[in-house]
Amino acid sequence: MTYQKNYYYNKAKKESRWDPPSAEEKLGAKHILRKHRNSRRPSSWREENITRSEDEAREIIEGYLREIQEIPDAKERDRRFSEIASKYSDCSSAKRGGDLGSFAIGAMQKPFEAAVLDLKVGEISQPIKTDSGIHIILRTL
């Protein structure tokens, strides 16, 4: 028998269900963002006018990701992620080590939210493209 319904699996909680996640469920993440000249707002607290290409932004993010992934200890990876975000992220969350705090489902751009939902707490995403730029994301909640 087929139910013609989507099936949802929450990797973080290791739960499966037929009903979609509710807007009240909270997610949490840190991220490192590098904007490029085609970002929806190509300026940041770091640079008034961002001129790098999307490919250059992706290369920078991939370099940060390689550096972080080489660290074997999870706490040290988290510390280094926050350190890089504080120094180099183009998001104002850099002031908090890239920490976006908790947020409801539906509050972030779709590709960003999908990446967070696909991660377990403590996992880091591959580079993600949104209208804001290129991100790597560390799920915290």
Side-chain angles (χ1 to χ4, degrees), residues 32-34 58 61 110-116 125-130 133-137:
I32 301 169
L33 168 66
R34 289 314 304 252
R58 183 174 295 279
I61 285 291
K110 292 289 183 199
F112 189 96
E113 180 179 290
V116 173
S125 72
Q126 291 300 306
I128 304 298
K129 178 184 174 183
T130 69
I134 309 294
H135 313 249
I136 50 175
I137 302 165

Side-chain angles (χ1 to χ4, degrees), residues 34-39 50-60 134:
R34 289 314 304 252
K35 293 183 175 186
H36 50 81
R37 64 178 162 251
N38 296 322
S39 295
I50 295 172
T51 59
R52 79 180 65 83
S53 71
E54 183 178 325
D55 288 341
E56 290 169 323
R58 183 174 295 279
E59 285 177 27
I60 292 166
I134 309 294

Side-chain angles (χ1 to χ4, degrees), residues 116-130:
V116 173
L117 287 168
D118 200 37
L119 297 169
K120 294 178 184 173
V121 172
E123 287 183 337
I124 300 173
S125 72
Q126 291 300 306
I128 304 298
K129 178 184 174 183
T130 69

Side-chain angles (χ1 to χ4, degrees), residues 1 15 40 43 46 58 62 71 75 81 92 95 109-110 121 128 130 139 141:
M1 176 179 226
E15 296 175 346
R40 69 177 173 186
S43 65
R46 298 181 64 251
R58 183 174 295 279
E62 287 171 349
I71 301 168
K75 285 185 181 183
F81 191 101
S92 61
K95 297 172 189 141
Q109 294 178 50
K110 292 289 183 199
V121 172
I128 304 298
T130 69
R139 183 159 181 184
L141 182 65

Side-chain angles (χ1 to χ4, degrees), residues 63-82:
Y64 298 152
L65 182 58
R66 279 190 302 275
E67 179 182 338
I68 293 164
Q69 287 177 329
E70 289 176 359
I71 301 168
D73 180 67
K75 285 185 181 183
E76 183 61 22
R77 266 192 315 274
D78 182 40
R79 187 197 65 72
R80 185 65 181 137
F81 191 101
S82 295

